[in-house]
């Protein structure tokens, strides 16, 4: 069984998974559950996180009873608040984002939306969605068949006033959000992986860029009102890779990653240095 050699995303494993029939669906399912398990105990007492995988039809309402829309999307990981009258402070220290952009930049583009988060109403299950966490898949990226459908889900999220966290390990495809530097297009300051956090309050996009030789961040996940919690994404990723034997069997560190030319020349050199250690 191979031993991981990367401090963050395993470029060898990730490149293998992104091939046709490379196993991305299995990794996606396992990682979503590990993100939920990592986040749930860190939330304030009046919140909970749950992994959900389907698109449901339903009705969302504002606190005053007015309907938001007739469709409700169920994201990869949802965060709910059990009772809005209860709050608990958290002490975990997150890292600052690489870049912060005004949310208006996103809202001006009619094809981009915010994340869905549900907030619990007292005495009711499941509560009102307050935050939505999505692990991006190759078929949701620009140029793929699922891109338009994903954009529609993002629109519904913003219109529902829900925070959105998008975790993107798909280095070979352009980001969903045009303002993010595109790694495959070799944009300046682009990195192969990123986490985009769209926070309804204070109304901004927080961007975390991650290189092939960098660890995934511990970052703030926005909740209802001004509350937040912290997700240690690196710990969740480590648990995913270690939790299924097949993932360690797929990485051959004696050879460069498959589709090696999808990485920049500089990152190819970084990978060679990591392999030589």
């Amino acid at each position: 069984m191979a031993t991981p050699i990367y401090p963050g995303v395993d470029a060898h494993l990730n490149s293998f998974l992104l091939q046709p029939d490379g196993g991305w669906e299995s990794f996606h399912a396992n990682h979503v559950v590990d993100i939920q398990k990592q986040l749930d105990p860190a939330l304030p007492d009046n919140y909970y996180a749950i992994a959900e995988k389907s698109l449901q039809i339903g009705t969302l309402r504002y606190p005053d009873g007015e309907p938001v829309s007739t469709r409700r999307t169920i994201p990869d990981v949802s965060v709910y608040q059990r009772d809005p009258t209860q709050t608990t402070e958290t002490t975990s220290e997150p890292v600052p984002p690489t870049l912060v952009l005004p949310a208006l930049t996103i809202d001006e583009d009619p094809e981009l939306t915010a994340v869905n988060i549900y907030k619990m109403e007292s005495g009711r299950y499941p509560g009102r969605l307050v935050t939505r966490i999505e692990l991006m898949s190759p078929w949701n990226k620009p140029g793929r068949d699922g891109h338009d459908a994903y954009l529609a889900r993002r629109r519904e999220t913003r219109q529902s006033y829900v925070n959105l966290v998008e975790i993107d390990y798909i280095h070979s495809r352009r980001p969903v959000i045009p303002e993010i530097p595109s790694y495959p297009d070799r944009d300046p300051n682009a990195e192969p992986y990123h986490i985009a956090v769209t926070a309804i309050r204070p109304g901004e996009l927080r961007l975390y860029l991650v290189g092939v030789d960098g660890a995934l961040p511990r970052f703030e996940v926005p909740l209802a009102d001004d509350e937040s919690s912290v997700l240690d994404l690196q710990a969740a990723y480590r648990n995913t890779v270690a939790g299924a034997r097949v993932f360690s069997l797929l990485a051959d560190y004696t050879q460069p990653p498959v589709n090696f030319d999808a990485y920049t020349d500089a990152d190819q050199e970084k990978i060679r240095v990591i392999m030589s250690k």
Side-chain angles (χ1 to χ4, degrees):
M1 186 178 297
T3 301
I5 61 175
Y6 291 88
V9 174
D10 188 315
H12 276 73
L13 172 61
N14 200 57
S15 295
F16 188 97
L17 293 170
L18 294 178
Q19 299 178 104
D21 299 322
W24 176 260
E25 295 86 348
S26 295
F27 173 84
H28 185 281
N30 286 23
H31 196 33
V32 164
V33 171
D34 286 324
I35 291 171
Q36 182 266 331
K37 289 180 178 179
Q38 187 70 32
L39 179 62
D40 197 51
L43 291 169
D45 291 341
N46 54 323
Y47 289 84
Y48 70 91
I50 189 168
E52 299 176 308
K53 295 191 178 232
S54 63
L55 179 66
Q56 295 190 81
I57 303 300
T59 301
L60 289 177
R61 294 183 180 276
Y62 293 111
D64 62 5
E66 288 296 317
V68 176
S69 72
T70 56
R71 299 193 68 186
R72 179 164 73 92
T73 59
I74 300 300
D76 288 334
V77 178
S78 303
V79 179
Y80 295 87
Q81 186 177 20
R82 286 200 319 241
D83 186 339
T85 64
Q86 303 174 6
T87 59
T88 300
E89 294 184 359
T90 56
T91 58
S92 299
E93 291 296 327
V95 300
T98 309
L99 182 65
V100 176
L101 301 174
L104 181 61
T105 305
I106 300 175
D107 291 344
E108 286 175 342
D109 189 326
E111 296 200 342
L112 296 178
T113 64
V115 174
N116 292 340
I117 297 178
Y118 297 89
K119 181 178 181 180
M120 292 292 294
E121 295 180 353
S122 182
R124 297 183 182 181
Y125 179 86
R128 184 165 61 93
L129 182 65
V130 297
T131 303
R132 171 177 164 179
I133 300 176
E134 289 282 352
L135 175 61
M136 298 301 299
S137 294
W139 45 88
N140 294 141
K141 301 298 288 293
R144 300 299 297 271
D145 291 344
H147 182 56
D148 289 345
Y150 183 75
L151 291 181
R153 294 175 65 189
R154 295 187 83 249
R155 277 196 298 273
E156 292 168 6
T157 297
R158 186 186 66 224
Q159 292 165 357
S160 300
Y161 297 94
V162 171
N163 303 298
L164 176 61
V165 178
E166 292 165 294
I167 300 168
D168 195 337
Y169 304 147
I170 317 300
H171 63 283
S172 56
R173 291 270 172 184
R174 296 193 312 278
V176 168
I177 302 173
E179 288 79 8
I180 297 177
S182 173
Y183 186 78
D185 292 330
R186 304 301 190 252
D187 287 349
N189 303 317
E191 296 288 359
Y193 322 117
H194 68 264
I195 298 91
V197 180
T198 304
I200 299 303
R201 298 181 62 176
E204 62 187 17
L205 171 65
R206 304 166 190 163
L207 181 62
Y208 301 83
L209 301 177
V210 183
V212 294
D213 56 352
L216 291 165
R218 173 195 292 266
F219 63 94
E220 282 192 348
V221 176
L223 303 175
D225 302 318
D226 295 323
E227 293 186 288
S228 65
S229 188
V230 175
L231 171 61
D232 188 341
L233 187 57
Q234 184 59 53
Y237 184 87
R238 183 170 56 247
N239 291 340
T240 301
V241 175
R245 186 170 183 267
V246 64
F247 297 140
S248 61
L249 295 174
L250 296 179
D252 180 4
Y253 300 122
T254 66
Q255 302 292 330
V258 296
N259 301 320
F260 196 35
D261 58 358
Y263 297 95
T264 64
D265 292 343
D267 282 348
Q268 289 181 32
E269 182 57 31
K270 290 178 182 177
I271 291 172
R272 292 189 184 97
V273 170
I274 292 172
M275 291 174 59
S276 68
K277 294 181 179 178

